[in-house]
Amino acid sequence: MEVNRSDNATGLNETYGPLPQVAALREAHRCLFCYDAPCTHACPTHIDIPGFIKKISTDNLLGSAQTILESNLLGATCARVCPVQELCEGACVLGPSNKPISIGRLQRYAMDYVYERDIQVLHPEAPTGRRVAVIGSGPAGLSCAGELARRGHAVTVFEKRELPGGLSTYGIISLREPVEIALAEAKMIAQLGVTIETGRELGGDLSLAELQKSFEMVILSVGLGRSPQLGIPGEEHVLDGLEYVENSKVTSTPFEIGRQVVVIGAGNTAIDCATIARRLGAERVTIVYRRTDKEMTAYPHEYEFAKQEGIEFRFLAQPAEAVVEEGELTGLRCHQMELGAPDASGRPAAVPIEGGEFFIPADQIVKAIGQQKPAIASVLGLATEKGYIAVDYEFETSIPGVFAIGDCIRHRGEASTVMAVQDGKMAAQVLHARLMAAELSAREA
Ligand SMILES: Cc1cc2nc3c(=O)[nH]c(=O)nc-3n(C[C@H](O)[C@H](O)[C@H](O)COP(=O)(O)OP(=O)(O)OC[C@H]3O[C@@H](n4cnc5c(N)ncnc54)[C@H](O)[C@@H]3O)c2cc1C
Ligand code: SF4
């Protein structure tokens, strides 16, 4: 597995630099080290936040990183990509009267210390001889694989892409997370004893039957698919938002940015695509959304950030056609919408206004309208819920011994990296208990 590939096809760098030592110590000393800390409760992986901050305050960065990793194996990614305003920092008791502690930046400070020095903080227990296959090396798969390896199980991760890391490597804008961070974490998981085989695809060169012969349990952490179809004329001239972000991070071919860019969608991915276009030189970037800013799924702080970047928003606009003249994309024709009664999603439906049409000039159109449901569900004949893989409370799918975690099961609530990491951790606990029970029965037999 190659883990030293350099980041940054386009020169986009992390928005925030590392905290200097003086600033980190000052920030750590501001923490009240609350008993039963609300920040820890608000973290989906329940990191002992006052615990790791206390260690930073005494300059024990190795101990601090260990505290973080005990709860969250992808602490360096989460330090960068978590919506901390909505989670730990949003719950910090200093928030309402003062400024919340910069928990994300302190976490990054401790994690960067160990990755910059290539320190392997955690070590596996004695081998159990039990074998588990994990499909997909995104945050859910790596977290689960690492937690199982720590308990001594022999884990192989099969990943269809060239590099491990899932969306942390390919999908999260470099302004938030450079590729190196995702790869350093995958390397740390590999050093726990996990074998990561890239270029291996379940449903391609691997079959479930084969895996079940060699492994006692199989975990699917396959994430979701590409952007769905818009279903409008001229769609073949519309770029996929996920590929757009990917090309800005890891492409080896030149990445072209339009002069006038229109991004369709109103979630965080749309804002990421618009930001990439803007930062890489587009003169005008417009986000087009069929409802209003009140129904947008992007986080409020992301919306504010986008406006500060000079990104324009065109609300109540439904794309109708990507207009192409003499083979050249010239713009997006849209229907003017208004809000009607709530639809099945509970949000007001966007209803076209008769005769209301307009045109937005564009030489590049990007769609960022979510991701397709996991295709592997139908390939394997798995039961689904709203298109996502259905699992019981122990993450087991409709096929016994096959489990699923991460975005591919997230039919409710917001999909996020930290939720995927927590799924991996919880599933590892379930699998460990089952593997140990099997070990006990084998010994007694
Ligand atoms: C553009 C974008 C930006 C985002 N930004 C943020 C953010 O800032 N903060 C945040 O918290 N969350 C963010 N998210 C969400 C977050 O990235 C996901 O919730 C998280 O990556 C889910 O992890 P996962 O392991 O379930 O899936 P993924 O990260 O999608 O990983 C799945 C892996 O499985 C592999 N795979 C798929 N099928 C197969 C197969 N058949 N065989 C072998 N391998 C397979 C894939 O190649 C991939 O590597 C973002 C998502 C997107 C799309
Ligand atoms: S809530 Fe704020 S002050 Fe209290 S422990 Fe957490 S970070 Fe420190």
Side-chain angles (χ1 to χ4, degrees), residues 103-418:
I103 299 169
R105 294 192 76 190
L106 285 176
Q107 183 167 315
R108 172 178 161 187
Y109 180 71
M111 294 310 308
D112 285 359
Y113 174 84
V114 293
Y115 285 119
E116 278 163 10
R117 289 160 185 77
D118 212 3
I119 301 172
Q120 184 69 16
V121 179
L122 302 176
H123 302 282
E125 290 170 12
T128 63
R130 300 274 156 186
R131 291 169 58 78
V132 178
V134 174
I135 312 302
S137 68
L142 289 182
S143 162
C144 190
E147 295 286 355
L148 286 168
R150 284 180 71 191
R151 292 167 170 89
H153 304 301
V155 187
T156 303
V157 176
F158 296 99
E159 165 57 53
K160 70 176 179 181
R161 304 293 307 262
E162 183 195 349
L163 296 172
L167 288 170
S168 303
T169 297
Y170 289 102
I172 293 186
I173 185 171
S174 299
L175 297 178
R176 263 202 298 287
E177 180 175 19
V179 174
E180 283 98 334
I181 301 301
L183 297 183
E185 286 185 323
K187 182 178 169 190
M188 180 273 285
I189 300 288
Q191 284 174 348
L192 277 173
V194 173
T195 303
I196 302 179
E197 293 190 17
T198 54
R200 305 294 310 272
E201 181 174 4
L202 176 60
D205 66 319
L206 285 171
S207 74
L208 183 60
E210 252 175 88
L211 290 171
Q212 284 171 318
K213 271 190 223 143
S214 314
F215 297 92
E216 286 165 75
M217 290 174 188
V218 176
I219 297 145
L220 307 174
S221 45
V222 292
L224 299 172
R226 290 282 170 199
S227 306
Q229 289 291 306
L230 287 163
I232 59 171
E235 181 149 9
E236 63 280 13
H237 294 270
V238 176
L239 304 177
D240 182 315
L242 294 173
E243 278 171 31
Y244 202 72
V245 181
E246 181 175 326
N247 288 340
S248 76
K249 286 192 90 173
V250 290
T251 189
S252 49
T253 51
F255 176 51
E256 283 184 18
I257 294 288
R259 210 166 47 80
Q260 292 185 304
V261 180
V262 167
V263 179
I264 300 169
N268 297 311
T269 307
I271 290 186
D272 286 351
C273 292
T275 305
I276 289 166
R278 190 82 186 122
R279 289 276 176 110
L280 294 180
E283 283 167 20
R284 188 169 189 191
V285 182
T286 311
I287 288 187
V288 165
Y289 177 47
R290 63 193 165 133
R291 293 189 173 94
T292 73
D293 55 351
K294 295 186 186 54
E295 291 80 32
M296 279 172 77
T297 53
Y299 292 120
H301 65 270
E302 289 289 331
Y303 177 39
E304 286 310 313
F305 167 82
K307 285 192 287 189
Q308 281 164 22
E309 288 284 303
I311 293 162
E312 296 173 33
F313 285 81
R314 189 82 195 241
F315 293 112
L316 294 167
Q318 169 86 45
E321 181 185 1
V323 181
V324 180
E325 287 167 18
E326 294 171 11
E328 294 280 313
L329 182 68
T330 58
L332 185 68
R333 187 168 62 77
C334 296
H335 289 305
Q336 184 70 53
M337 311 297 273
E338 61 184 355
L339 292 183
D343 62 13
S345 72
R347 293 175 299 173
V351 184
I353 295 175
E354 205 169 320
E357 279 209 353
F358 58 92
F359 178 80
I360 307 175
D363 55 1
Q364 192 168 58
I365 302 177
V366 183
K367 61 176 172 184
I369 52 169
Q371 290 178 267
Q372 283 169 345
K373 305 295 184 303
I376 201 80
S378 63
V379 174
L380 302 181
L382 294 167
T384 56
E385 194 163 354
K386 296 183 184 163
Y388 296 84
I389 299 175
V391 290
D392 65 13
Y393 69 99
E394 289 198 319
F395 299 97
E396 196 159 19
T397 68
S398 54
I399 302 180
V402 177
F403 297 77
I405 51 176
D407 279 7
C408 64
I409 64 163
R410 190 87 54 235
H411 64 90
R412 261 200 310 263
E414 197 72 36
S416 66
T417 300
V418 70

